[in-house]
Amino acid sequence: MLKGIHPAISPDLLKTLAEMGHGDELVLSDAHFPAHQLHHKVIRADGIGVDTLLKGISPLFEFDAYVDAPLIMMQAVAGDSLDPSVEQRYLDAIKSAVGNVPNLERIERFAFYDRAKQAYAVVITGETAKYGNIIIKKGVTPVK
């Protein structure tokens, strides 16, 4: 265990976050997401909600400031509906960790899958909320 690292961040996830470069994307998927079908680099975070991971990742991760929306979620399929509390939980987790929230956009389901295929990695979480997937895009880490 390391000081200052949220206990939900596994060694594999910490290594992956450190390896990622500017513009790389990480998928935090719900428990139903077809991660192994879509991607070769899959990290397990069973039993951990996406909001918990966002709270742990956000202080370690600079969100990309060079895109309109470094947060991407899936749109509801026609005839289906979204639970707005899912998005709000995610945004609240980021805000509580870093004090502000970058822009979020929603994209069509198959566009989301295509984007997930191009991501640096996919983290399968224990999230059970419908449409509980989010992609986060890494920016340039500021020099302090």
Side-chain angles (χ1 to χ4, degrees):
M1 185 145 210
L2 298 171
K3 291 170 58 176
I5 305 293
H6 192 284
I9 307 297
S10 70
D12 286 342
L13 180 53
L14 186 60
K15 177 181 182 291
T16 298
L17 293 170
E19 290 172 346
M20 291 174 66
H22 172 251
D24 283 339
E25 295 182 339
L26 181 69
V27 179
L28 301 178
S29 80
D30 62 33
H32 311 287
F33 192 77
H36 290 282
Q37 176 191 9
L38 297 174
H39 211 284
H40 65 281
K41 186 169 187 161
V42 176
I43 299 167
R44 303 295 305 204
D46 299 293
I48 301 171
V50 169
D51 55 339
T52 300
L53 283 175
L54 285 168
K55 192 171 187 173
I57 290 169
S58 295
L60 309 173
F61 189 97
E62 191 68 27
F63 293 100
D64 196 337
Y66 298 113
V67 297
D68 289 335
L71 305 176
I72 300 98
M73 291 183 75
M74 191 182 293
Q75 292 174 349
V77 174
D80 213 349
S81 61
L82 294 172
D83 176 354
S85 71
V86 176
E87 179 179 319
Q88 194 58 54
R89 265 192 308 118
Y90 294 0
L91 299 179
D92 288 348
I94 293 169
K95 186 172 184 174
S96 74
V98 294
N100 64 326
V101 179
N103 292 333
L104 181 141
E105 72 172 310
R106 288 196 176 262
I107 61 176
E108 186 271 335
R109 176 182 173 206
F110 292 105
F112 190 96
Y113 289 160
D114 287 341
R115 193 131 175 198
K117 290 176 188 176
Q118 302 303 314
Y120 192 82
V122 177
V123 180
I124 300 175
T125 73
E127 184 65 56
T128 58
K130 197 172 188 180
Y131 299 106
N133 309 297
I134 188 168
I135 297 172
I136 59 175
K137 188 176 196 75
K138 189 174 185 183
V140 176
T141 304
V143 179
K144 293 186 180 193

